Amino acid sequence: MQNKAQRITQLLKIEYPDSLCSLEYGDPFHLLMAVRLAAQCTDARVNLVMPALLQAYPTPQAMAAADVLHVQQLVRSCGFYRTKAQDLITIAQQLCARHGGQVPKGMDELTALQGVGRKTANLIRGDVFGLPAIVVDTHCIRITNLLGLTDTKNPAKIEQQLLQLLDPAESNNFCHRLVLHGRAICIARRPQCGACVLAGECDFAQLR
Protein backbone atom coordinates (compact mmCIF):
# COMPACT_ATOMS: atom_id res chain seq x y z
CA MET A 1 0.00 0.00 0.00
CA GLN A 2 2.90 2.36 0.65
CA ASN A 3 4.10 1.84 -2.92
CA LYS A 4 0.65 2.74 -4.18
CA ALA A 5 0.62 5.86 -2.04
CA GLN A 6 4.04 6.84 -3.42
CA ARG A 7 2.83 6.41 -7.00
CA ILE A 8 -0.26 8.51 -6.32
CA THR A 9 1.88 11.19 -4.66
CA GLN A 10 4.11 11.40 -7.74
CA LEU A 11 1.17 11.53 -10.15
CA LEU A 12 -0.40 14.37 -8.18
CA LYS A 13 2.93 16.20 -8.05
CA ILE A 14 3.22 16.04 -11.84
CA GLU A 15 -0.40 17.08 -12.39
CA TYR A 16 -0.32 19.90 -9.82
CA PRO A 17 3.27 21.14 -9.52
CA ASP A 18 2.11 24.06 -7.40
CA SER A 19 0.45 23.00 -4.16
CA LEU A 20 -0.23 26.31 -2.44
CA CYS A 21 -2.97 26.76 0.09
CA SER A 22 -5.88 28.51 -1.63
CA LEU A 23 -6.38 30.80 1.36
CA GLU A 24 -4.47 34.07 1.05
CA TYR A 25 -2.58 35.22 4.13
CA GLY A 26 0.33 37.35 5.26
CA ASP A 27 1.32 35.82 8.57
CA PRO A 28 0.38 32.88 10.83
CA PHE A 29 -2.36 34.80 12.64
CA HIS A 30 -3.97 35.80 9.37
CA LEU A 31 -4.01 32.17 8.20
CA LEU A 32 -5.47 31.04 11.51
CA MET A 33 -8.32 33.55 11.15
CA ALA A 34 -8.88 32.62 7.52
CA VAL A 35 -9.06 28.90 8.28
CA ARG A 36 -11.60 29.51 11.04
CA LEU A 37 -13.75 31.54 8.66
CA ALA A 38 -13.45 28.87 5.94
CA ALA A 39 -15.46 26.31 7.91
CA GLN A 40 -18.55 25.59 5.78
CA CYS A 41 -17.57 28.48 3.52
CA THR A 42 -15.56 28.68 0.30
CA ASP A 43 -11.94 29.80 0.35
CA ALA A 44 -12.80 32.32 -2.37
CA ARG A 45 -15.37 33.98 -0.13
CA VAL A 46 -12.94 34.08 2.78
CA ASN A 47 -10.31 35.71 0.57
CA LEU A 48 -12.82 38.45 -0.24
CA VAL A 49 -13.63 39.04 3.42
CA MET A 50 -10.12 39.00 4.86
CA PRO A 51 -8.77 42.36 3.58
CA ALA A 52 -11.38 44.44 5.43
CA LEU A 53 -11.03 42.26 8.52
CA LEU A 54 -7.25 42.67 8.53
CA GLN A 55 -7.48 46.40 7.95
CA ALA A 56 -9.57 46.68 11.11
CA TYR A 57 -7.80 44.02 13.18
CA PRO A 58 -4.34 43.19 11.80
CA THR A 59 -2.86 41.68 14.98
CA PRO A 60 -3.94 39.38 17.80
CA GLN A 61 -3.78 42.35 20.15
CA ALA A 62 -6.19 44.34 17.98
CA MET A 63 -8.58 41.42 17.53
CA ALA A 64 -8.50 40.61 21.25
CA ALA A 65 -9.96 44.04 21.96
CA ALA A 66 -12.45 44.02 19.08
CA ASP A 67 -16.15 44.72 19.34
CA VAL A 68 -17.91 41.47 18.54
CA LEU A 69 -20.74 43.20 16.68
CA HIS A 70 -18.27 44.89 14.35
CA VAL A 71 -16.47 41.61 13.68
CA GLN A 72 -19.83 39.96 12.99
CA GLN A 73 -20.56 42.63 10.41
CA LEU A 74 -17.22 42.08 8.69
CA VAL A 75 -17.50 38.27 8.49
CA ARG A 76 -21.26 37.99 8.00
CA SER A 77 -21.02 36.66 4.43
CA CYS A 78 -18.94 33.67 5.60
CA GLY A 79 -21.92 32.10 7.37
CA PHE A 80 -22.28 31.19 11.03
CA TYR A 81 -20.93 34.67 11.56
CA ARG A 82 -21.88 35.05 15.22
CA THR A 83 -19.96 31.96 16.27
CA LYS A 84 -17.03 32.71 13.98
CA ALA A 85 -16.74 36.32 15.16
CA GLN A 86 -16.67 35.28 18.79
CA ASP A 87 -14.16 32.53 18.06
CA LEU A 88 -11.81 34.99 16.33
CA ILE A 89 -11.86 37.28 19.33
CA THR A 90 -11.43 34.43 21.80
CA ILE A 91 -8.55 32.93 19.80
CA ALA A 92 -6.80 36.30 19.77
CA GLN A 93 -7.30 36.70 23.51
CA GLN A 94 -5.91 33.20 24.10
CA LEU A 95 -2.88 33.90 21.90
CA CYS A 96 -2.14 37.07 23.84
CA ALA A 97 -2.67 35.46 27.24
CA ARG A 98 -0.88 32.15 26.61
CA HIS A 99 1.60 32.66 23.79
CA GLY A 100 2.69 36.30 23.78
CA GLY A 101 0.52 37.07 20.77
CA GLN A 102 2.23 34.40 18.63
CA VAL A 103 0.64 31.41 16.93
CA PRO A 104 2.11 28.25 18.52
CA LYS A 105 3.26 25.27 16.48
CA GLY A 106 2.46 22.47 18.89
CA MET A 107 -0.60 20.33 18.18
CA ASP A 108 -1.80 20.44 21.78
CA GLU A 109 -1.35 24.22 22.01
CA LEU A 110 -3.17 24.80 18.73
CA THR A 111 -6.11 22.52 19.48
CA ALA A 112 -6.52 24.20 22.86
CA LEU A 113 -7.51 27.38 21.03
CA GLN A 114 -11.22 28.13 20.62
CA GLY A 115 -12.70 26.44 17.56
CA VAL A 116 -9.39 24.92 16.41
CA GLY A 117 -9.45 21.21 15.63
CA ARG A 118 -6.84 18.89 14.21
CA LYS A 119 -7.62 19.86 10.60
CA THR A 120 -6.89 23.53 11.28
CA ALA A 121 -3.92 22.71 13.49
CA ASN A 122 -2.37 20.49 10.83
CA LEU A 123 -2.82 23.18 8.19
CA ILE A 124 -1.03 25.70 10.40
CA ARG A 125 1.73 23.24 11.29
CA GLY A 126 2.29 22.30 7.65
CA ASP A 127 1.95 25.63 5.88
CA VAL A 128 3.41 27.97 8.49
CA PHE A 129 6.00 25.84 10.24
CA GLY A 130 6.87 23.35 7.51
CA LEU A 131 6.13 20.37 9.74
CA PRO A 132 4.76 17.03 8.47
CA ALA A 133 1.00 17.40 8.52
CA ILE A 134 -2.09 15.69 7.13
CA VAL A 135 -5.09 17.95 6.63
CA VAL A 136 -8.17 15.74 6.52
CA ASP A 137 -10.88 17.79 4.83
CA THR A 138 -13.83 16.66 2.73
CA HIS A 139 -11.67 16.24 -0.38
CA CYS A 140 -9.15 14.11 1.49
CA ILE A 141 -11.87 11.94 2.99
CA ARG A 142 -13.66 11.37 -0.30
CA ILE A 143 -10.70 10.86 -2.59
CA THR A 144 -8.57 8.67 -0.34
CA ASN A 145 -11.57 6.40 0.18
CA LEU A 146 -12.17 6.19 -3.58
CA LEU A 147 -8.49 5.47 -4.17
CA GLY A 148 -8.51 2.73 -1.56
CA LEU A 149 -5.87 4.37 0.62
CA THR A 150 -8.33 4.68 3.49
CA ASP A 151 -11.43 2.75 4.50
CA THR A 152 -13.28 5.05 6.88
CA LYS A 153 -14.97 8.45 6.93
CA ASN A 154 -13.62 9.22 10.40
CA PRO A 155 -11.09 12.08 10.07
CA ALA A 156 -8.93 10.99 13.01
CA LYS A 157 -8.69 7.43 11.67
CA ILE A 158 -7.93 8.70 8.15
CA GLU A 159 -5.11 10.83 9.52
CA GLN A 160 -3.62 7.80 11.25
CA GLN A 161 -3.97 5.60 8.17
CA LEU A 162 -2.30 8.18 5.93
CA LEU A 163 0.49 8.68 8.44
CA GLN A 164 1.43 5.06 7.82
CA LEU A 165 1.43 5.48 4.05
CA LEU A 166 2.75 8.93 3.14
CA ASP A 167 6.27 10.29 3.12
CA PRO A 168 6.22 12.90 5.93
CA ALA A 169 8.01 15.38 3.66
CA GLU A 170 5.21 15.06 1.09
CA SER A 171 2.15 14.76 3.33
CA ASN A 172 1.19 18.43 3.54
CA ASN A 173 1.49 19.05 -0.20
CA PHE A 174 -0.29 15.75 -0.89
CA CYS A 175 -3.35 17.10 0.93
CA HIS A 176 -3.24 20.45 -0.89
CA ARG A 177 -3.07 18.61 -4.20
CA LEU A 178 -6.07 16.48 -3.25
CA VAL A 179 -8.06 19.70 -2.83
CA LEU A 180 -7.02 20.87 -6.30
CA HIS A 181 -7.84 17.45 -7.76
CA GLY A 182 -11.19 17.33 -5.98
CA ARG A 183 -12.18 20.67 -7.41
CA ALA A 184 -10.97 19.98 -10.94
CA ILE A 185 -11.52 16.26 -11.62
CA CYS A 186 -12.66 14.09 -8.70
CA ILE A 187 -15.75 16.16 -8.06
CA ALA A 188 -18.19 15.00 -5.41
CA ARG A 189 -20.95 12.81 -6.88
CA ARG A 190 -19.63 13.25 -10.43
CA PRO A 191 -15.97 12.19 -10.64
CA GLN A 192 -14.47 12.47 -14.12
CA CYS A 193 -12.63 9.17 -14.09
CA GLY A 194 -11.95 9.27 -17.81
CA ALA A 195 -9.85 12.39 -17.38
CA CYS A 196 -8.21 11.38 -14.11
CA VAL A 197 -4.45 10.79 -13.90
CA LEU A 198 -5.07 8.60 -10.85
CA ALA A 199 -7.54 6.26 -12.57
CA GLY A 200 -4.95 3.48 -12.88
CA GLU A 201 -4.38 3.55 -9.12
CA CYS A 202 -7.99 4.12 -8.06
CA ASP A 203 -10.18 1.32 -6.69
CA PHE A 204 -13.35 3.20 -7.61
CA ALA A 205 -12.28 3.93 -11.19
CA GLN A 206 -11.27 0.28 -11.73
CA LEU A 207 -14.76 -0.86 -10.77
CA ARG A 208 -16.62 1.50 -13.10
Side-chain angles (χ1 to χ4, degrees):
M1 187 67 79
Q2 284 183 323
N3 289 336
K4 176 176 179 174
Q6 290 175 358
R7 292 193 298 270
I8 290 170
T9 298
Q10 291 305 311
L11 288 168
L12 286 172
K13 187 183 292 189
I14 293 168
E15 188 72 4
Y16 308 99
D18 298 321
S19 58
L20 298 177
C21 176
S22 55
L23 290 169
E24 299 169 1
Y25 64 97
D27 67 27
F29 177 61
H30 299 169
L31 179 58
L32 185 56
M33 288 198 296
V35 176
R36 182 65 194 93
L37 292 177
Q40 296 178 290
C41 177
T42 66
D43 291 352
R45 168 55 57 186
V46 173
N47 289 337
L48 291 175
V49 167
M50 284 297 292
L53 183 66
L54 293 178
Q55 184 175 11
Y57 308 107
T59 65
Q61 292 79 5
M63 180 61 75
D67 175 70
V68 68
L69 294 178
H70 185 228
V71 179
Q72 286 179 10
Q73 179 183 355
L74 292 173
V75 305
R76 187 183 188 97
S77 64
C78 291
F80 301 96
Y81 64 95
R82 292 187 179 88
T83 299
K84 291 180 180 180
Q86 186 58 63
D87 282 355
L88 294 182
I89 294 172
T90 301
I91 287 170
Q93 292 170 342
Q94 291 172 330
L95 291 177
C96 292
R98 303 174 185 174
H99 305 289
Q102 302 298 311
V103 175
K105 64 181 178 181
M107 177 62 74
D108 291 343
E109 289 81 6
L110 284 165
T111 54
L113 299 172
Q114 177 67 29
V116 175
R118 290 190 66 87
K119 181 176 76 172
T120 297
N122 273 312
L123 182 62
I124 297 294
R125 283 165 58 81
D127 278 36
V128 172
F129 298 107
L131 297 170
I134 294 175
V135 180
V136 183
D137 65 359
T138 57
H139 295 288
C140 180
I141 294 170
R142 182 180 76 256
I143 297 173
T144 60
N145 269 264
L146 293 176
L147 289 168
L149 294 179
T150 60
D151 59 8
T152 175
K153 299 298 176 68
N154 182 289
K157 292 180 179 179
I158 288 175
E159 182 179 345
Q160 292 304 310
Q161 289 180 353
L162 292 179
L163 278 172
Q164 305 302 314
L165 299 176
L166 298 177
D167 179 347
E170 299 285 355
S171 60
N172 190 55
N173 288 335
F174 175 88
C175 295
H176 281 318
R177 291 183 173 114
L178 284 186
V179 172
L180 298 175
H181 193 61
R183 290 172 176 169
I185 301 296
C186 194
I187 303 165
R189 291 180 294 278
R190 49 187 180 92
Q192 301 174 32
C193 297
C196 182
V197 297
L198 304 181
E201 301 289 345
C202 178
D203 289 0
F204 178 80
Q206 296 301 310
L207 293 174
R208 296 193 74 178

